[in-house]
C-alpha cells in the first residue's frame, strides 16, 4: 500500500498549486503494524520556521491500513514545503518525497512542494485551446515591398541561401546577413497560419537593431526598417485580429546593443549615448566598471551592454504611462514574451506587469525561464514569477525536454514525472496557457533533435557537416516528429510551433535553425499532419482547460486523459519496437477515434511506434 502519492487525488486534492485560503486535502495511508498513535503535517514556508499541524484518524483502509488526513490552507502566497511525521513505538518516522511523487518512510528525502498563489491571480483566456506560431521575422516571408532607411552595411542574400556560419568569411561582422522577411510578408501569410489552426503569433524582436536576430536593440521606439514601419505593425495586428490571431512581441529588456542610440559606441546615432559622455541621459542605465571601455555585458558579449533594470529612469522609459510597453500595446499587440526573464529583477517585473495590465488587462506576459519557474532561484534569491504579481506564463522547457526525450529514447516514467511535476507546481490559470514548444530559435530544430546527431560540444564546422539528415533518417525524423507533436498538442498548455517545423525544416544550432522558410519545398505529409492537429484542438474542448491524468505507463508506452466539462480525450502512444496492449478501461470502448487503433474490452492494441487519440462525452 502506498503511504502517500502527491499526484493522485486519493491522497492530495487538488493535485495543483492552490490560491491563498484555498484548502488542499492531504491524506496518508499507514500500516496498522506501525502502531501509529499520532500523525502530523510539518510545513515551512520558504525561508521560515516549520509549523506543525495535527492530523486526524479518518478510518480503516481495508483490514491492515488506516487513514490519517487534514485540510491545509495558507494565508499568504509563496512556496510551502511539507512532509509527514508518524509517532510510533519505534520513534518518529518521517514520510518524505521519493521518486515520482511517492511518499517514502525513512529519515531522508526531500519535502513535497505546495505552491500558493494570490487569490486574485488571473491570466488571459485568449491563448487557451489555441496554437502559438513562432516567427523569426527575417526568415519567414519577404513581401517584396520596397524598404527605406536600411543601412548599407547589411548584407542582403537571396531567399533560400544558407545563412552565414563560417567565421572566416564574416569579416568580423556577426549576424549581418539578411534575407528580407518582413511584417507585410507575415500579413500576406495569415491565411496560411489560419489553416494551421494558429491563434497567436509570437515574433522574435522587431525593433531597430544591427543584427538579423535583433536581440541587440538599437531603438525600442522604432520598427527595424528592413521589417517595415509602425504602420505595417498596426496593419498586421488589425488583420490578424480579424482572423482570430493575436500578435505577441519579444521584449529584450536586460541589455541593449552597443550600437544603439542609448549606448552609441560607434557614433552612428544622433544622440549622446552612455559611451559618449557621463552627462548622457542614458549613462545611469549601464554598469560601467572602468569608463567607457569596461562595462558589464550580457554573458560577456561586448556587443550587448547590460542595463541597470532597477534604475528609475530606465523603468520609467520601459514601464511608464507612455513607455515602451504601452506604446506597442496601443498599436494592437496582445502581449509580450520577455527575453531572459530570469535575469530581470523583481522590481522591474512588478512594474512591467502593472504597466501591461493597466493598458490591457487581457494582454499576456510570457517569460523565458528554462527550468521549473515555480521554484527557480536566480541571483541568490527565490523568484516569484507565477504567484500573481509578475508573469502569466513561461516557455515550457520542462515539457519540451520530456516530449523530445521520450520520443527519442523512450522512458514512460521519466516522461510522466516531468509532466506531473509541472501539473503539481503551477497555478492552473498558468498551466493552461504555458508556451509548449519542442523547438525554438535557441535550440536544434525538432526533427534534427529527434533523428540527428547530438550537437553538444561541436562547433559550427561540424554542425554544418551534419546539418542535413540522410534520406533514411529524415524519413524516420518525420515519423518521430509526428509522434512528438501529437503529445505536444495534447498536453496541458498551448503548443508553440516554430516556423517551418510543419514544412520539415532541419537545422542544428544557431544559425542553422534560422534558415529561410522553404515555400517551394514544403513537406506535404507534415504540413497535412499539423493542419489536422490544429483541427483536433479546435474540436475538443478538453484541450482548453481540461485536467490531466496518467492512465498507463510501461517502458515506451504511455496513455493519459484530458477531461473538461462535457468532453474527455484519451491519448495513447507506443514508442517501442514491440506491440503493446494498453489498458485504458472499458469506458473507452465505442468512443470516437481520430486514428485507427480503438479500445476493445478496455484495451488498445498499439503496433510498434503507433498512436491513437480517442474522444467521448465526459461522464
Amino acid at each position: 500500500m502506498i503511504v502517500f502519492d502527491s499526484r493522485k487525488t486519493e491522497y492530495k486534492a487538488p493535485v495543483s498549486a492552490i490560491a491563498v485560503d484555498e484548502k488542499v486535502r492531504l491524506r496518508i495511508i499507514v500500516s496498522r503494524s506501525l502502531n501509529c498513535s499520532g500523525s502530523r503535517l510539518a510545513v515551512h514556508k520558504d525561508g521560515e520556521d516549520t509549523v506543525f499541524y495535527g492530523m486526524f484518524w479518518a478510518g480503516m483502509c481495508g483490514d491492515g491500513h488506516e487513514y490519517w488526513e487534514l485540510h491545509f490552507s495558507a494565508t499568504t502566497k509563496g512556496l510551502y514545503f511539507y512532509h509527514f511525521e508518524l509517532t510510533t513505538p519505534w520513534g518518529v518516522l518521517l514520510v518524505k518525497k521519493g521518486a515520482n511523487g511517492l511518499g517514502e518512510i525513512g529519515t531522508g528525502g526531500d519535502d513535497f512542494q505546495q505552491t500558493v498563489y494570490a487569490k486574485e491571480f488571473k491570466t488571459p483566456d485568449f491563448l487557451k485551446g489555441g496554437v502559438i506560431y513562432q516567427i523569426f521575422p527575417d526568415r519567414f516571408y519577404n513581401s517584396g515591398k520596397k524598404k527605406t532607411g536600411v543601412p548599407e552595411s547589411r548584407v542582403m542574400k537571396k531567399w533560400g541561401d544558407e545563412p552565414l556560419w563560417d567565421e572566416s568569411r564574416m569579416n568580423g561582422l556577426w549576424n549581418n546577413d539578411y534575407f528580407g522577411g518582413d511584417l507585410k510578408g507575415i500579413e500576406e501569410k495569415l491565411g496560411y497560419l489560419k489553416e494551421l489552426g494558429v491563434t497567436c503569433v509570437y515574433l522574435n524582436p522587431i525593433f531597430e537593431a544591427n543584427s538579423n536576430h535583433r536581440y541587440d536593440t538599437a531603438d525600442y521606439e522604432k520598427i527595424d526598417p528592413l521589417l517595415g514601419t509602425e504602420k505595417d505593425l498596426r496593419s498586421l495586428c488589425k488583420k490578424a485580429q480579424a482572423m482570430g490571431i493575436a500578435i505577441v512581441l519579444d521584449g529584450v529588456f536586460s541589455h541593449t546593443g552597443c550600437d544603439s542610440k542609448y549606448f552609441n559606441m560607434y557614433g552612428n546615432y544622433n544622440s549622446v549615448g552612455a559611451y559618449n559622455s557621463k552627462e548622457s541621459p542614458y549613462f545611469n542605465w549601464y554598469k560601467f566598471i572602468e569608463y567607457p571601455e569596461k562595462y558589464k555585458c550580457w554573458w560577456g558579449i561586448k556587443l550587448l551592454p547590460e542595463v541597470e533594470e532597477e534604475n528609475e529612469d530606465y523603468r520609467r522609459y520601459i514601464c511608464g504611462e507612455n513607455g515602451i510597453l504601452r506604446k506597442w500595446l496601443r498599436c494592437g499587440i496582445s502581449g509580450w514574451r520577455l527575453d531572459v526573464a530570469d535575469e530581470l529583477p523583481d522590481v522591474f517585473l512588478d512594474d512591467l506587469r502593472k504597466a501591461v495590465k493597466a493598458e490591457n488587462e487581457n494582454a499576456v506576459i510570457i517569460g523565458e525561464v528554462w527550468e521549473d519557474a515555480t521554484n527557480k532561484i536566480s541571483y541568490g534569491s527565490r523568484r516569484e514569477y507565477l504567484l500573481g504579481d509578475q508573469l502569466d506564463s513561461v516557455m515550457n522547457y520542462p515539457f519540451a525536454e520530456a516530449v523530445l526525450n521520450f520520443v527519442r529514447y523512450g522512458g514512460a516514467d521519466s516522461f510522466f514525472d516531468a509532466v506531473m511535476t509541472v501539473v503539481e507546481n503551477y497555478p492552473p490559470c498558468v498551466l493552461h496557457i504555458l508556451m509548449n514548444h519542442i523547438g525554438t530559435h535557441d535550440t536544434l530544430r525538432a526533427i534534427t533533435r529527434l533523428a540527428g546527431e547530438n550537437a553538444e560540444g561541436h562547433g559550427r564546422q561540424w554542425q554544418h557537416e551534419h546539418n542535413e539528415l540522410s534520406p533514411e533518417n529524415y524519413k524516420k525524423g518525420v515519423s518521430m516528429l509526428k509522434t512528438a507533436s501529437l503529445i505536444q498538442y495534447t498536453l496541458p498548455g498551448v503548443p508553440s510551433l516554430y516556423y517551418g517545423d510543419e514544412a520539415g525544416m532541419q537545422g542544428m544550432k544557431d544559425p542553422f535553425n534560422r534558415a529561410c522558410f522553404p515555400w517551394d519545398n514544403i513537406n506535404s505529409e507534415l504540413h497535412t499532419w499539423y493542419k489536422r492537429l490544429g483541427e483536433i484542438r479546435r474540436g475538443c474542448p478538453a484541450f482548453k482547460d481540461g485536467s490531466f491524468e496518467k492512465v498507463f505507463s510501461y517502458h515506451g508506452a504511455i496513455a493519459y486523459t484530458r477531461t473538461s466539462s462535457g468532453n474527455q480525450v484519451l491519448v495513447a502512444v507506443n514508442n517501442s519496437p514491440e506491440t503493446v496492449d494498453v489498458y485504458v478501461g472499458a469506458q473507452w470502448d465505442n468512443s470516437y477515434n481520430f486514428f485507427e487503433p480503438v479500445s476493445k474490452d478496455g484495451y488498445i492494441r498499439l503496433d510498434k511506434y503507433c498512436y491513437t487519440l480517442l474522444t467521448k462525452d465526459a461522464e
Side-chain angles (χ1 to χ4, degrees), residues 434-448:
L434 286 172
M435 184 177 173
N436 290 346
H437 62 85
I438 56 173
T440 74
H441 64 291
D442 284 328
T443 68
L444 280 70
R445 285 276 174 179
I447 196 170
T448 303

Side-chain angles (χ1 to χ4, degrees), residues 550-565:
K550 179 175 74 172
V551 173
F552 184 88
S553 176
Y554 182 75
H555 294 306
I558 59 174
Y560 53 87
T561 57
R562 299 290 309 282
T563 305
S564 65
S565 177

Side-chain angles (χ1 to χ4, degrees), residues 412-455:
D413 287 346
S414 295
F415 167 80
F416 277 120
D417 185 42
V419 172
M420 287 306 303
T421 296
V422 172
V423 171
E424 278 189 282
N425 291 350
Y426 285 54
C429 62
V430 174
L431 180 68
H432 297 303
I433 64 167
L434 286 172
M435 184 177 173
N436 290 346
H437 62 85
I438 56 173
T440 74
H441 64 291
D442 284 328
T443 68
L444 280 70
R445 285 276 174 179
I447 196 170
T448 303
R449 167 75 184 272
L450 290 167
E453 296 189 51
N454 188 345

